[in-house]
């Protein structure tokens, strides 16, 4: 009976083993010109839809041919825009970030904002914003960051980039970013995702754990009755 109890205890422990976590970081350093991000990072389980542009800085040491922004140690960023680099139409734009395997606990990023932003970031449990019909797990309205001054046409610059973190409960699968055309840049997006060898428990694992728990209790009652 002791052997049976030990085996059941081991099954219970395995089924309830806490999920491990990895951090997926997107810094857009592989962007060499303005490009709709789309499935560029599909190998990391991340895809973009809507007005999401990967852009390169034209400031030293990044080289020519990019946009007017600067960020120490970085030459790439994510821009909310209808068409990157063209005159803004002052209209609302949006994009969605889908994370296939989901992410947990928090979503963090670096951002720069120009005036007239109206930027809202929402985290949803479902893909594609859960159809935008379900309640978001977290909502963040971003205020203006300090404006770049005395450096020509640069619109996003150090030290005006700000780090922000959105914390939430549950498992999220998408982020929806809304704001005014070419008024927001993001960088260093970080998602805490379930690790490949330790994903969040599936329903079958939960059922196994409950079964093992019940069997363990039954075994112990039989032992006590003897």
């Amino acid at each position: 009976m002791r052997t049976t109890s030990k085996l059941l205890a081991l099954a219970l422990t395995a089924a309830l083993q806490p999920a491990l976590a990895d951090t997926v970081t997107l810094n857009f350093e592989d962007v060499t010109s303005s490009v709709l991000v789309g499935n560029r990072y599909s190998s990391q389980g991340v895809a973009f839809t809507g007005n999401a542009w990967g852009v390169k800085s034209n400031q030293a040491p990044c080289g020519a041919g990019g946009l007017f922004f600067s960020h120490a140690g970085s030459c790439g960023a994510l821009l909310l825009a209808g068409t990157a680099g063209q005159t803004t139409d002052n209209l609302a734009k949006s994009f969605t970030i889908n994370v296939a395997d989901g992410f947990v606990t928090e979503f963090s990023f670096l951002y720069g904002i120009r005036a007239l932003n109206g930027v809202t970031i929402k985290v949803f449990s479902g893909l594609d914003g859960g159809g935008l019909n379900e309640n978001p797990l977290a909502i963040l309205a971003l205020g203006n960051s300090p404006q770049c001054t005395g450096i020509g046409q640069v619109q996003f610059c150090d030290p005006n980039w700000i780090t922000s973190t959105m914390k939430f409960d549950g498992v999220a699968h998408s982020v929806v970013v809304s704001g005014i055309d070419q008024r927001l840049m993001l960088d260093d997006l970080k998602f805490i995702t379930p690790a490949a060898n330790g994903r969040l428990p599936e329903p079958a694992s939960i059922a196994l754990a409950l079964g093992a728990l019940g069997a363990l209790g039954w075994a112990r009652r039989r032992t006590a009755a003897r």
Side-chain angles (χ1 to χ4, degrees):
M1 186 60 68
R2 289 182 179 178
T3 300
T4 302
S5 296
K6 288 180 179 180
L7 290 174
L8 290 171
L10 287 173
L12 178 62
T13 301
L16 295 179
Q17 194 69 253
L20 302 178
D22 280 339
T23 299
V24 172
T25 300
L26 304 182
N27 55 28
F28 309 97
E29 292 304 300
D30 61 337
V31 175
T32 57
S33 62
S34 298
V35 58
L36 280 170
V37 182
N39 294 320
R40 192 180 192 94
Y41 301 106
S42 59
S43 63
Q44 294 174 266
V46 181
F48 295 76
T49 60
N51 304 122
W53 289 82
V55 293
K56 174 192 172 188
S57 171
N58 65 2
Q59 304 298 296
C62 300
L67 297 185
F68 295 103
F69 72 94
S70 64
H71 170 37
S74 176
C75 290
L78 178 66
L79 176 68
L80 171 66
T83 302
Q86 296 193 2
T87 303
T88 177
D89 57 18
N90 289 324
L91 297 179
K93 308 294 180 182
S94 69
F95 64 78
T96 299
I97 310 170
N98 285 319
V99 182
D101 290 334
F103 56 103
V104 296
T105 307
E106 65 183 45
F107 163 54
S108 63
F109 52 91
L110 199 63
Y111 74 90
I113 287 184
R114 294 171 59 197
L116 302 174
N117 63 84
V119 173
T120 301
I121 300 179
K122 298 179 180 180
V123 175
F124 289 89
S125 61
L127 293 171
D128 297 315
L132 298 181
N133 292 320
E134 62 180 69
N135 294 325
L137 299 177
I139 302 176
L140 179 63
L142 299 181
N144 290 341
S145 61
Q147 299 300 293
C148 301
T149 58
I151 49 178
Q153 301 181 66
V154 175
Q155 299 167 336
F156 302 90
C157 63
D158 289 318
N160 300 337
W161 293 83
I162 299 172
T163 299
S164 185
T165 299
M166 298 176 69
K167 295 183 179 295
F168 57 90
D169 295 322
V171 182
H173 285 85
S174 62
V175 176
V176 178
V177 180
S178 304
I180 303 300
D181 188 33
Q182 304 194 61
R183 294 294 191 260
L184 170 72
M185 274 192 177
L186 300 176
D187 198 6
D188 296 339
L189 278 61
K190 295 182 180 180
F191 304 90
I192 298 178
T193 64
N197 62 342
R199 298 183 187 279
L200 294 177
E202 297 179 354
S205 297
I206 296 175
L208 175 62
L210 292 175
L213 185 61
L216 182 60
W218 175 80
R220 287 180 174 175
R221 283 197 301 270
R222 286 199 61 183
T223 300
R226 290 185 175 182

